[in-house]
Amino acid sequence: METTATGVSDRVKAIIAELLDVKVETITDEASFAGDLEASSLEIAQLATTIEDEFGVYISDASLERLVTVRDAIDFVIFLGAAKQH
């Protein structure tokens, strides 16, 4: 598993592209899941589960509510990955 910021970003975007059936090139860091990517609440929950499985992290319901943009998700994974190393 890639643990660099670029690697995490690329993998998170690939997961989003696959689950939401969009081209990875169209996914920006600023894109919001519900607004820009038009993800339903079920799709957002599926994204969280897939990210948890891929990176070995846990996303609580409270944390999930704060993950509004792609950048939020990337930063969260990076933060949790860094916290797991200490």
Side-chain angles (χ1 to χ4, degrees), residues 19-66:
L19 289 177
L20 299 182
D21 196 28
V22 297
K23 293 182 190 247
V24 72
E25 302 83 28
T26 66
I27 300 171
T28 65
D29 288 357
E30 298 79 25
S32 67
F33 292 112
D36 298 320
L37 298 173
E38 299 179 358
S40 68
S41 56
L42 177 59
E43 289 170 323
I44 293 170
Q46 290 173 321
L47 282 169
T49 300
T50 304
I51 289 170
E52 287 175 331
D53 292 344
E54 178 71 20
F55 294 99
V57 297
Y58 172 70
I59 304 172
S60 68
D61 290 341
S63 294
L64 183 58
E65 289 178 13
R66 292 190 297 270

